Amino acid sequence: MTDNDDRARPDTPPPARMSAPLAALGLFCTFAVPAYIDYWIVRIRWEYMAAFPEDSLRKPPTISRAMADVPLGADMGLALSVCAVLLAIGAGIISLLYIRTAAALPLPEPERRQLAWRGLGIFLIQLPVSIGMVMQSVYTLAIDNDLHMIGSYLLFFSAAIGQIISIFVCVEVLRQCEAVGTRRALGLIHPVATRMRTWFAVCALLLTVFYLGLFVAKDVWDSATLYAVYVSTEVVVIAALMAYLMLHAVEFVLILRAHGRSGAASRKPASPAEGR
């Protein structure tokens, strides 16, 4: 089947669909929620530096230290705990995009299952990411240093694995696009957005490796410059790790637009006489 042959064949499964409310919820959980998390990350460090300017000049605060020392950290902890749950819900809806797309493709059953399982992996890996986020938020450095660090490791390592899963999913989708011979959306997944997610996932993975290197290096070399780079990279890495979730906004917006067009078409009078 090519772009010029969109007619359904007898062996073609029903097309992949997602309701507008579910797509809207997915858009909120995977785009607005990560943006809100980024807002809190910037805000907590800014307010810490405003409250402790001399200490910040000597040693820039990490997000964890800012949450532990600023009273605002309790509010941020509650906000991040709620966001962790919403991110898991959003990842589940993203997995549905791939599972329903896999079910709608005219492929052998093993290949359908492979794409579906890879898509499901996005939700499964988000669970430990969200658990780590909650642990970091509830157990700050001022409450329990060990549990906070466990949550931090769980979050970052799981999120890094999430990038690898995302790359595998994207590669499989692009392979199917090439096999089907289409540049249009494959089910509910758009090829152009898929290529974007591939590059963002690779960049996020490389940034994470770089950040882990800085994490080790700062304890080996006592350098103010090195520590400042480490602290600055932390914010960028967190934003990058959520980018592959946020980029699924392309699919959710396209789904909502399709529902909007179909709704407008259903409300349009069938003839001039019916419009009177």
Side-chain angles (χ1 to χ4, degrees):
M1 185 180 297
T2 65
D3 286 347
N4 297 323
D5 185 11
D6 293 328
R7 295 170 296 179
R9 301 183 320 192
D11 59 340
T12 301
R17 291 188 174 91
M18 177 172 284
S19 67
L22 192 59
L25 179 60
L27 181 61
F28 173 78
C29 290
T30 60
F31 192 84
V33 170
Y36 185 61
I37 292 173
D38 290 335
Y39 156 76
W40 268 107
I41 290 172
V42 173
R43 178 181 175 183
I44 196 74
R45 292 189 67 225
W46 181 269
E47 296 210 6
Y48 180 95
M49 290 186 288
F52 307 100
E54 294 183 2
D55 180 62
S56 300
L57 187 62
R58 180 182 57 84
K59 189 175 185 181
T62 61
I63 298 167
S64 295
R65 187 152 63 93
M67 285 182 65
D69 294 337
V70 177
L72 188 66
D75 295 334
M76 180 179 178
L78 177 61
L80 290 187
S81 296
V82 174
C83 288
V85 176
L86 293 175
L87 283 178
I89 294 173
I93 298 174
I94 286 175
S95 290
L96 276 179
L97 291 175
Y98 291 98
I99 292 171
R100 292 181 179 180
T101 294
L105 294 178
L107 298 172
E109 189 60 30
E111 293 190 27
R112 288 188 191 178
R113 285 199 302 267
Q114 178 172 290
L115 178 57
W117 274 108
R118 290 186 180 187
L120 182 60
I122 292 176
F123 168 69
L124 295 178
I125 198 61
Q126 182 60 41
L127 293 178
V129 173
S130 293
I131 291 172
M133 188 181 299
V134 172
M135 289 181 65
Q136 273 193 315
S137 304
V138 173
Y139 301 103
T140 64
L141 292 175
I143 297 175
D144 194 311
N145 183 82
D146 292 338
L147 286 177
H148 180 85
M149 294 308 298
I150 290 174
S152 179
Y153 295 145
L154 183 62
L155 188 159
F156 277 102
F157 282 108
S158 298
I161 295 173
Q163 308 308 307
I164 298 174
I165 292 174
S166 178
I167 293 170
F168 284 154
V169 172
C170 291
V171 168
E172 181 64 20
V173 169
L174 293 174
R175 187 177 73 85
Q176 297 304 336
C177 285
E178 184 177 351
V180 174
T182 181
R183 289 174 293 178
R184 297 182 180 179
L186 190 67
L188 297 173
I189 305 299
H190 201 282
V192 175
T194 299
R195 288 188 178 89
M196 290 171 57
R197 284 190 289 268
T198 305
W199 286 107
F200 269 85
V202 170
C203 290
L205 194 58
L206 293 176
L207 270 172
T208 303
V209 173
F210 177 65
Y211 175 72
L212 291 175
L214 292 174
F215 180 79
V216 175
K218 69 179 176 59
D219 294 328
V220 177
W221 292 285
D222 186 12
S223 169
T225 302
L226 179 65
Y227 191 84
V229 173
Y230 161 73
V231 172
S232 300
T233 304
E234 180 183 37
V235 178
V236 179
V237 168
I238 292 174
L241 289 174
M242 294 187 292
Y244 84 100
L245 292 178
M246 298 180 74
L247 286 172
H248 284 88
V250 173
E251 278 81 4
F252 291 129
V253 168
L254 290 175
I255 292 170
L256 291 172
R257 286 181 60 187
H259 279 287
R261 286 194 300 267
S262 62
S266 65
R267 293 190 298 269
K268 184 178 180 180
S271 67
E274 293 180 17
R276 295 193 186 108

